[in-house]
Amino acid sequence: MRENVVIRTVVRLAVPFIQIFALYVIVHGASGAGGGFQGGVVFASSFILMTIAFDLAYTRRRIGSRGTMICSALGIAIFAGVGILCILYTGNFLEYGVIEAALGIPHLHGYLIDLVEAGIGITVMAVMTSIIYDMANRGGRSA
Amino acid sequence: MIWELDFALLLFMICCAIAAITVRDLVHATIILAGYSLIMTVLWALMNAVDVAFTEATVGAGITTVLFIAAIARTTRSSSD
Protein backbone atom coordinates (compact mmCIF):
# COMPACT_ATOMS: atom_id res chain seq x y z
CA MET A 1 0.00 0.00 0.00
CA ARG A 2 2.96 2.28 0.63
CA GLU A 3 3.74 2.33 -3.11
CA ASN A 4 0.26 3.45 -4.14
CA VAL A 5 0.68 6.94 -5.57
CA VAL A 6 -3.05 7.77 -5.39
CA ILE A 7 -3.27 7.24 -1.63
CA ARG A 8 -0.06 9.15 -0.99
CA THR A 9 -1.10 12.12 -3.14
CA VAL A 10 -4.62 12.33 -1.67
CA VAL A 11 -3.27 12.20 1.88
CA ARG A 12 -0.64 14.82 1.05
CA LEU A 13 -3.42 17.10 -0.22
CA ALA A 14 -5.96 16.37 2.54
CA VAL A 15 -3.80 16.67 5.65
CA PRO A 16 -3.31 20.51 5.54
CA PHE A 17 -7.06 21.04 5.11
CA ILE A 18 -7.85 18.68 8.00
CA GLN A 19 -5.42 20.56 10.23
CA ILE A 20 -6.82 23.98 9.25
CA PHE A 21 -10.32 22.65 9.93
CA ALA A 22 -9.17 21.40 13.35
CA LEU A 23 -7.81 24.86 14.24
CA TYR A 24 -11.11 26.40 13.04
CA VAL A 25 -13.09 24.00 15.26
CA ILE A 26 -10.93 24.87 18.29
CA VAL A 27 -11.23 28.65 17.79
CA HIS A 28 -14.92 28.51 16.84
CA GLY A 29 -15.83 26.33 19.82
CA ALA A 30 -16.84 29.18 22.13
CA SER A 31 -19.66 30.41 19.87
CA GLY A 32 -20.83 27.30 18.03
CA ALA A 33 -20.50 23.57 17.70
CA GLY A 34 -17.08 22.15 18.43
CA GLY A 35 -14.45 22.96 20.99
CA GLY A 36 -11.09 21.90 22.27
CA PHE A 37 -11.78 18.18 22.47
CA GLN A 38 -13.28 17.80 19.00
CA GLY A 39 -10.62 20.00 17.42
CA GLY A 40 -7.86 18.04 19.10
CA VAL A 41 -9.31 14.74 17.89
CA VAL A 42 -9.61 16.07 14.33
CA PHE A 43 -5.99 17.27 14.50
CA ALA A 44 -4.86 13.87 15.77
CA SER A 45 -6.80 12.15 12.98
CA SER A 46 -4.62 13.95 10.44
CA PHE A 47 -1.57 12.29 12.01
CA ILE A 48 -3.42 8.95 11.97
CA LEU A 49 -4.10 9.45 8.26
CA MET A 50 -0.39 10.07 7.70
CA THR A 51 0.47 6.93 9.70
CA ILE A 52 -1.94 4.81 7.62
CA ALA A 53 -0.87 6.16 4.23
CA PHE A 54 2.86 6.44 4.77
CA ASP A 55 4.72 4.96 7.67
CA LEU A 56 5.06 5.29 11.41
CA ALA A 57 8.57 6.70 11.00
CA TYR A 58 7.28 9.33 8.54
CA THR A 59 4.80 10.63 11.12
CA ARG A 60 7.34 10.40 13.93
CA ARG A 61 9.58 12.80 12.00
CA ARG A 62 6.74 15.38 12.18
CA ILE A 63 5.88 14.89 15.85
CA GLY A 64 7.89 12.44 17.91
CA SER A 65 7.35 10.82 21.27
CA ARG A 66 9.15 13.72 22.93
CA GLY A 67 6.89 16.16 21.11
CA THR A 68 3.70 14.42 22.22
CA MET A 69 4.98 14.29 25.80
CA ILE A 70 5.81 18.01 25.84
CA CYS A 71 2.51 18.94 24.13
CA SER A 72 0.36 16.89 26.53
CA ALA A 73 1.99 18.58 29.53
CA LEU A 74 1.88 22.03 27.89
CA GLY A 75 -1.86 21.92 27.21
CA ILE A 76 -2.68 20.97 30.80
CA ALA A 77 -0.31 23.72 31.99
CA ILE A 78 -2.15 26.32 29.87
CA PHE A 79 -5.54 25.12 31.18
CA ALA A 80 -4.47 25.11 34.82
CA GLY A 81 -2.50 28.34 34.43
CA VAL A 82 -5.53 30.29 33.20
CA GLY A 83 -7.65 28.74 35.97
CA ILE A 84 -5.18 29.60 38.71
CA LEU A 85 -4.70 33.11 37.28
CA CYS A 86 -8.42 33.64 37.89
CA ILE A 87 -7.94 32.52 41.52
CA LEU A 88 -5.05 35.01 41.89
CA TYR A 89 -7.43 37.76 40.76
CA THR A 90 -9.72 36.76 43.71
CA GLY A 91 -12.20 34.81 41.59
CA ASN A 92 -13.17 31.16 41.33
CA PHE A 93 -11.34 28.61 39.19
CA LEU A 94 -11.83 29.64 35.50
CA GLU A 95 -13.96 32.67 36.44
CA TYR A 96 -12.76 34.87 33.58
CA GLY A 97 -14.89 37.88 34.46
CA VAL A 98 -12.70 38.98 37.39
CA ILE A 99 -9.62 39.36 35.15
CA GLU A 100 -11.63 41.33 32.60
CA ALA A 101 -12.96 43.61 35.35
CA ALA A 102 -9.53 44.08 36.96
CA LEU A 103 -7.60 44.86 33.76
CA GLY A 104 -10.39 46.74 32.01
CA ILE A 105 -9.74 45.15 28.60
CA PRO A 106 -13.02 44.52 26.70
CA HIS A 107 -13.78 40.98 25.46
CA LEU A 108 -10.86 39.58 27.46
CA HIS A 109 -12.90 36.62 28.71
CA GLY A 110 -13.46 35.55 25.09
CA TYR A 111 -9.72 35.43 24.50
CA LEU A 112 -9.25 33.50 27.74
CA ILE A 113 -11.89 30.96 26.67
CA ASP A 114 -10.01 30.53 23.37
CA LEU A 115 -6.76 30.08 25.31
CA VAL A 116 -8.29 27.36 27.50
CA GLU A 117 -9.79 25.65 24.44
CA ALA A 118 -6.37 25.73 22.76
CA GLY A 119 -4.84 24.08 25.83
CA ILE A 120 -7.47 21.33 25.79
CA GLY A 121 -6.92 20.84 22.06
CA ILE A 122 -3.13 20.54 22.41
CA THR A 123 -3.46 17.93 25.16
CA VAL A 124 -6.09 15.86 23.34
CA MET A 125 -4.08 15.95 20.10
CA ALA A 126 -0.88 14.83 21.85
CA VAL A 127 -2.51 12.04 23.87
CA MET A 128 -4.47 10.65 20.89
CA THR A 129 -1.31 10.70 18.75
CA SER A 130 0.74 8.94 21.43
CA ILE A 131 -1.98 6.25 21.82
CA ILE A 132 -1.88 5.63 18.07
CA TYR A 133 1.93 5.50 18.14
CA ASP A 134 1.84 2.86 20.87
CA MET A 135 -0.86 0.86 19.09
CA ALA A 136 0.75 0.99 15.64
CA ASN A 137 4.24 0.30 16.96
CA ARG A 138 5.11 -3.33 16.28
CA GLY A 139 7.80 -5.16 18.16
CA GLY A 140 8.29 -3.36 21.43
CA ARG A 141 10.61 -0.57 20.29
CA SER A 142 9.13 2.56 21.88
CA ALA A 143 11.73 5.24 21.21
CA MET B 1 -38.43 15.97 12.25
CA ILE B 2 -39.73 13.51 9.62
CA TRP B 3 -40.82 10.34 11.39
CA GLU B 4 -40.31 8.07 8.36
CA LEU B 5 -36.67 9.12 8.05
CA ASP B 6 -36.23 8.80 11.78
CA PHE B 7 -37.79 5.32 11.79
CA ALA B 8 -35.63 4.15 8.89
CA LEU B 9 -32.47 5.43 10.56
CA LEU B 10 -33.33 3.76 13.87
CA LEU B 11 -34.18 0.48 12.11
CA PHE B 12 -30.91 0.55 10.18
CA MET B 13 -29.04 1.38 13.37
CA ILE B 14 -30.54 -1.65 15.18
CA CYS B 15 -29.65 -3.83 12.18
CA CYS B 16 -26.06 -2.54 12.35
CA ALA B 17 -25.88 -3.20 16.09
CA ILE B 18 -27.13 -6.78 15.70
CA ALA B 19 -24.83 -7.40 12.71
CA ALA B 20 -21.80 -6.07 14.58
CA ILE B 21 -22.16 -8.65 17.35
CA THR B 22 -23.15 -11.61 15.15
CA VAL B 23 -20.59 -11.34 12.32
CA ARG B 24 -17.58 -13.67 12.67
CA ASP B 25 -14.85 -11.53 11.16
CA LEU B 26 -13.68 -8.87 13.61
CA VAL B 27 -12.63 -6.39 10.90
CA HIS B 28 -16.12 -6.62 9.41
CA ALA B 29 -17.59 -6.00 12.86
CA THR B 30 -15.41 -2.90 13.24
CA ILE B 31 -16.51 -1.47 9.91
CA ILE B 32 -20.17 -2.17 10.74
CA LEU B 33 -19.63 -0.39 14.06
CA ALA B 34 -18.29 2.63 12.14
CA GLY B 35 -21.48 2.61 10.07
CA TYR B 36 -23.51 2.44 13.28
CA SER B 37 -21.59 5.49 14.50
CA LEU B 38 -22.36 7.35 11.28
CA ILE B 39 -26.12 6.73 11.63
CA MET B 40 -25.89 7.77 15.29
CA THR B 41 -24.24 11.03 14.12
CA VAL B 42 -27.15 11.76 11.77
CA LEU B 43 -29.61 11.00 14.58
CA TRP B 44 -27.84 13.33 17.02
CA ALA B 45 -27.82 16.08 14.37
CA LEU B 46 -31.56 15.52 13.74
CA MET B 47 -32.14 15.92 17.48
CA ASN B 48 -30.37 19.34 17.33
CA ALA B 49 -27.42 18.07 19.40
CA VAL B 50 -24.75 19.21 16.96
CA ASP B 51 -21.96 19.15 19.54
CA VAL B 52 -22.66 15.52 20.46
CA ALA B 53 -22.96 14.66 16.75
CA PHE B 54 -19.53 16.18 16.14
CA THR B 55 -18.00 14.17 18.97
CA GLU B 56 -19.67 10.99 17.75
CA ALA B 57 -18.37 11.55 14.22
CA THR B 58 -14.79 12.25 15.27
CA VAL B 59 -14.38 9.78 18.12
CA GLY B 60 -16.93 7.10 17.22
CA ALA B 61 -16.30 6.79 13.50
CA GLY B 62 -12.71 8.02 13.38
CA ILE B 63 -10.57 7.18 16.38
CA THR B 64 -12.21 4.00 17.69
CA THR B 65 -12.24 2.35 14.24
CA VAL B 66 -8.51 2.91 13.87
CA LEU B 67 -7.87 1.76 17.44
CA PHE B 68 -9.95 -1.42 16.94
CA ILE B 69 -8.20 -2.23 13.66
CA ALA B 70 -4.81 -1.64 15.29
CA ALA B 71 -5.82 -3.95 18.15
CA ILE B 72 -7.09 -6.63 15.72
CA ALA B 73 -3.82 -6.42 13.77
CA ARG B 74 -1.95 -7.41 16.94
CA THR B 75 -4.28 -10.37 17.73
CA THR B 76 -6.18 -12.88 15.61
CA ARG B 77 -8.68 -11.69 13.07
CA SER B 78 -11.62 -14.07 13.56
CA SER B 79 -12.95 -15.75 16.68
CA SER B 80 -12.37 -19.50 16.98
CA ASP B 81 -15.21 -20.58 19.29
Side-chain angles (χ1 to χ4, degrees):
Chain A
M1 193 194 277
R2 205 169 300 148
E3 286 77 26
N4 196 330
V5 69
V6 175
I7 293 174
R8 278 188 307 175
T9 309
V10 167
V11 168
R12 234 184 253 280
L13 286 174
V15 160
F17 289 103
I18 294 172
Q19 291 180 346
I20 289 288
F21 180 66
L23 295 179
Y24 165 76
V25 168
I26 290 175
V27 173
H28 198 253
S31 55
F37 182 78
Q38 286 93 333
V41 171
V42 171
F43 209 100
S45 70
S46 74
F47 290 124
I48 293 171
L49 201 62
M50 272 201 274
T51 310
I52 291 171
F54 293 96
D55 201 358
L56 193 59
Y58 179 88
T59 316
R60 272 188 195 279
R61 280 203 295 277
R62 266 67 185 173
I63 177 166
S65 295
R66 194 178 171 79
T68 58
M69 209 188 304
I70 289 171
C71 282
S72 56
L74 180 73
I76 285 292
I78 290 171
F79 182 86
V82 173
I84 289 171
L85 196 67
C86 297
I87 293 180
L88 292 180
Y89 277 95
T90 67
N92 290 322
F93 191 72
L94 293 178
E95 188 183 352
Y96 313 109
V98 290
I99 299 181
E100 188 176 342
L103 296 181
I105 303 169
H107 308 300
L108 184 64
H109 73 279
Y111 297 126
L112 289 173
I113 290 172
D114 282 346
L115 198 61
V116 166
E117 296 275 4
I120 298 168
I122 290 168
T123 299
V124 170
M125 181 271 292
V127 171
M128 289 289 176
T129 312
S130 76
I131 289 173
I132 292 299
Y133 280 174
D134 287 340
M135 292 296 287
N137 188 20
R138 288 178 168 278
R141 188 184 58 84
S142 64
Chain B
M1 201 152 166
I2 312 156
W3 79 266
E4 290 93 349
L5 178 67
D6 212 28
F7 184 75
L9 282 172
L10 283 170
L11 202 67
F12 197 53
M13 198 179 81
I14 291 169
C15 288
C16 276
I18 292 170
I21 58 172
T22 51
V23 77
R24 305 292 292 181
D25 197 324
L26 290 177
V27 176
H28 295 178
T30 305
I31 301 301
I32 292 167
L33 212 60
Y36 168 88
S37 229
L38 187 70
I39 302 161
M40 200 68 218
T41 303
V42 177
L43 279 171
W44 286 125
L46 279 176
M47 288 187 276
N48 286 326
V50 185
D51 225 343
V52 187
F54 206 156
T55 311
E56 181 76 37
T58 52
V59 178
I63 298 288
T64 54
T65 307
V66 174
L67 277 181
F68 279 147
I69 288 178
I72 290 165
R74 310 194 77 164
T75 57
T76 56
R77 181 163 169 176
S78 60
S79 63
S80 58
D81 52 278

